[in-house]
Amino acid sequence: MASVRKRLVPAVVIAACASLALTTAPAAAGQLAVGDAPAGPRLAKKLVRQVHVGNINRHLIAFQRFSDRNGGNRAAGSAGYNESADYIERKLQAAGYEVNRHEFDFTYTETLAERLTAGGGDVPIIAMTYSPSTPDGGTTAPLAAIPPDDTPGCEASDFGDVTGKIALIQRGICSFAQKGIAAAEAGAVGAIVYNNVAGPVNGTLGGPENASIPIGGITKADGEALIGQDGSDVTLEIRTLTEERTTHNVIAETQTGRKDNVVMAGAHLDSVDDGAGINDNGTGSAALLETALKLGGSPRVNNSVRFAWWGAEELGLVGSTRYVQSLDFEQQLNISMYLNFDMIGSPNAGYFAYDGDDSAGTGAGPGPYGSAQIEEKFVGFLGSRGIEVEDTDFSGRSDYGEFIEVGIPAGGLFTGAEVAKTPEQAAKWGGLAGVAFDPCYHQSCDHLGNVDRMALDRNADAMAWTIGSYGISTEEVNGVPPFQAKSKKATAEQRAHQRVATVQVAEGSDPHSHTS
C-alpha cells in the first residue's frame, strides 16, 4: 500500500466471446441465498468453497522465495518483481486466461541515507519517496516548529518567514507534497512531518514532479518532543537514487462473459525496497490469483472478469494510473466496477471495507454511484460470518484512485497498516490495542511471519463471493441485468409460430406479405 493520495496503447485488447445465458438473477446486495440458490450466489458459493487459504499461502511462500533470492525485495522493476509476475502469468495461462503485459515507464527511487540529529541525539526519520537529496553529510539549519491549525502546513502563509530553516510540520488534511511545496515557497531548506496519530510517517510525494525540498517523516511523539527545540540547529540528511526504469502490470481476462460490462479486480504486486512485502501486498495478490485460478478462464458468467496485478504502486500508484489513462472513454465505460485488495492479512488485523457511501463522513467523500452497493456486498458477506466491518476512507492510498477519478465505482477490503488498533477495535476483533495493525508496514520484517491467516482466509472468501456474484449480475451497481434465458413457454410459443409460418409458406401464402 502506498502512503498518500494521487489523482501505451490500450492495455488489453481481447476478442469478444459469446456470453452464456443463465436463467436466474443474483441475490440482493450482501445477502446469502439459501432456499432458491440463484445463479449468482451458486457461482459465488462454489468459489468460496474452492478458494483455500492453504493454496493462497503457497503463493505467499513463492513470493518470499523470489524476494530471498533477489536482494530481499520484490520492488517494481526488480528481479524479485519480475519473477513474481512470471509466476502469476504462467498459472493464469495454464488456467485458460487471456494474459497480457501492460508495460510502462516509471521513476525508480531508492533511499541511500535518512538521518535526523537534534539536541545531540538521533531521531528516527523515514525519507519520503521522491524526496530530493540533501548534500552528502546533510543540511544543518535552525528548526522552525510550525504551529498546527486546521490545515497544518498546507499554505505558505502557515510558515511565516522560514528562510534557511528546516520546517517541522504536523501531518494532516493535505498531501505531503503540498506541505513540502508550501514550506519551500516560505523559504525552508528542508521539512520534517510528524504524525498526528501514534506510529511513524512512511510517506510518498506521489511522483518526482512533486519534489521540492528534502522531506522525511517521524512519529508523533518525536515530533512533539522536537517542538521544544524550536530555533535550535538540527541536521537533516536525506539522500536518494532516482532513475527511469520500465516495468509492467499483469492483466488477465476470462474468455467468457460480455466485454462491455467487465468486472475488474486488482491488487498491487510490488513491494517496497526494504522487504518482501508479504502482507503488503502479497496477501492481496495471492488471494486474487487463487480466486482467478478457481474461477478459470472460461467460467459460466454473464460478465467478463478482468484481473490485474499492478506494478509500481508503492511509487505513487503508477501502474494502475497509467493503465486507466491508457484506455479511451469507451474502454473505460466497458468497466462496470473496480474491486481493490491491498493488505488483507495484517498480523494485528482489523476488518475494513472502503466507504463507498461516505457514511463515516470523513476524508475524501463517497465514491462514484455504485460504490455504496459494492461496500454493502462486502459488509453483508463478512457480517454473515459474524464479522463486524468498519469503514475505511477512499484516502487515495491504493489503486482504486484513478478508477474513481474517471467515474468507475469502486470498493474493496483492507486489514490496516501503520495506524494503531484502538481498545474498542481490539474488543471487537481481538488482537492488541495500541499496536499497529501491521507493525512491519514497509519494513524488512514484512515476511511470511507477518500474516494473520485467519483474516486472510475470511477476506479471501469475501473476495471470492463478491467477484463470483458480480460475474453473474452487476444490476445493483449499474442497472445492467444478467442475460435471461427464454422461458419454456416463450420457447414453445416461438416454435409454434415458426411451424405456422412454415405451413403458410408451403401453401403459397407469405405471412409477411404486404399485398395478401
Side-chain angles (χ1 to χ4, degrees):
M1 169 169 280
S3 305
V4 73
R5 184 174 180 83
K6 247 192 81 74
R7 274 280 206 244
L8 324 187
V9 294
V12 185
V13 180
I14 301 177
C17 300
S19 298
L20 299 179
L22 296 175
T23 60
T24 51
Q31 295 179 347
L32 294 179
V34 178
D36 55 356
R42 204 157 44 231
L43 174 62
K45 286 179 181 178
K46 179 181 178 182
L47 270 182
V48 171
R49 288 195 304 269
Q50 291 183 339
V51 173
H52 296 155
V53 72
N55 293 334
I56 297 170
N57 191 61
R58 183 176 176 86
H59 302 319
L60 295 180
I61 295 170
F63 294 156
Q64 180 72 60
R65 293 187 183 181
F66 298 147
S67 172
D68 289 346
R69 67 193 191 198
N70 289 290
N73 68 68
R74 298 182 304 106
S78 70
Y81 178 86
N82 293 339
E83 288 196 29
S84 299
D86 291 346
Y87 172 84
I88 288 172
E89 288 179 12
R90 289 195 304 271
K91 290 187 174 294
L92 292 169
Q93 288 166 347
Y97 280 88
E98 294 275 0
V99 183
N100 291 270
R101 289 188 174 191
H102 172 236
E103 292 193 349
F104 58 92
D105 297 328
F106 71 103
T107 303
Y108 172 79
T109 181
E110 178 183 339
T111 299
L112 303 177
E114 47 189 8
R115 180 175 63 90
L116 174 62
T117 303
D122 288 334
V123 179
I125 188 168
I126 301 173
M128 301 267 183
T129 304
Y130 297 118
S131 171
S133 295
T134 64
D136 193 358
T139 296
T140 300
L143 183 69
I146 309 305
D149 56 15
D150 291 339
T151 58
C154 297
E155 298 88 23
S157 58
D158 292 341
F159 295 85
D161 183 6
V162 292
T163 301
K165 298 181 180 180
I166 295 172
L168 177 66
I169 316 162
Q170 186 185 69
R171 182 181 189 175
I173 305 301
C174 62
S175 69
F176 300 129
Q178 187 173 340
K179 291 178 189 291
I181 291 168
E185 290 176 354
V189 294
I192 304 162
V193 179
Y194 64 96
N195 217 338
N196 52 5
V197 295
V201 172
N202 195 328
T204 174
L205 302 181
E209 68 278 6
N210 297 322
S212 53
I213 54 177
I215 182 170
I218 62 176
T219 66
K220 179 181 181 181
D222 286 338
E224 291 175 345
L226 277 179
I227 292 172
Q229 298 189 45
D230 183 34
S232 300
D233 280 354
V234 298
T235 299
L236 174 67
E237 182 177 19
I238 289 177
R239 290 187 291 107
T240 60
L241 166 68
T242 301
E243 62 186 24
E244 294 301 311
R245 294 187 180 182
T246 300
T247 190
H248 62 279
N249 304 313
V250 177
I251 311 291
E253 186 161 348
T254 59
Q255 299 192 52
T256 49
R258 58 189 296 174
K259 304 300 181 181
D260 62 350
N261 194 49
V262 174
V263 175
M264 190 161 189
H268 78 85
L269 183 58
D270 62 313
S271 73
V272 295
D273 288 320
D274 291 333
I278 298 302
N279 181 43
D280 182 15
N281 181 38
T283 52
S285 291
L288 195 69
L289 174 59
E290 189 60 22
T291 300
L293 294 178
K294 290 301 182 285
L295 181 66
S298 300
R300 290 179 57 84
V301 290
N302 285 319
N303 305 308
S304 182
V305 182
R306 186 180 302 165
F307 296 92
W309 287 265
W310 306 118
E313 187 269 359
E314 296 290 7
L315 297 172
L317 319 182
V318 182
S320 57
T321 299
R322 296 284 176 81
Y323 172 78
V324 175
Q325 292 176 349
S326 76
L327 306 177
D328 63 30
F329 179 75
E330 291 296 328
Q331 290 169 320
Q332 292 174 1
L333 200 58
N334 288 340
I335 301 174
S336 66
M337 69 185 71
Y338 174 68
L339 309 175
N340 192 67
F341 304 97
D342 188 354
M343 301 178 65
I344 60 171
S346 301
N348 192 29
Y351 293 87
F352 300 96
Y354 292 116
D355 191 5
D357 59 1
D358 195 32
S359 57
T362 60
Y369 182 83
S371 302
Q373 290 81 352
I374 296 170
E375 177 189 4
E376 179 57 29
K377 181 75 78 178
F378 286 116
V379 171
F381 178 85
L382 289 170
S384 75
R385 299 292 178 90
I387 302 164
E388 185 178 348
V389 180
E390 289 188 8
D391 295 324
T392 187
D393 182 48
F394 279 126
S395 62
R397 290 181 60 176
S398 197
D399 291 298
Y400 52 76
E402 196 67 17
F403 289 90
I404 289 175
E405 187 72 18
V406 301
I408 296 171
L413 300 172
F414 176 48
T415 50
E418 79 277 22
V419 174
K421 180 179 283 187
T422 68
E424 295 77 16
Q425 290 169 332
K428 178 165 50 182
W429 295 323
L432 300 174
V435 175
F437 293 106
D438 184 356
C440 288
Y441 176 64
H442 283 190
Q443 298 176 54
S444 61
C445 55
D446 186 8
H447 46 50
L448 281 172
N450 193 48
V451 176
D452 180 336
R453 286 168 178 79
M454 178 180 290
L456 177 58
D457 189 20
R458 290 168 169 174
N459 282 306
D461 285 350
M463 174 194 295
W465 170 262
T466 302
I467 291 173
S469 297
Y470 287 137
I472 300 303
S473 176
T474 65
E475 188 168 12
E476 69 189 30
V477 173
N478 62 3
V480 177
F483 290 129
Q484 299 292 325
K486 294 177 180 177
S487 67
K488 291 181 180 180
K489 180 179 178 181
T491 301
E493 289 176 349
Q494 183 182 30
R495 288 175 177 171
H497 177 74
Q498 290 170 340
R499 284 196 298 270
V500 170
T502 300
V503 171
Q504 289 175 329
V505 170
E507 294 176 349
S509 173
D510 183 355
H512 301 293
S513 172
H514 295 289
T515 60
S516 63

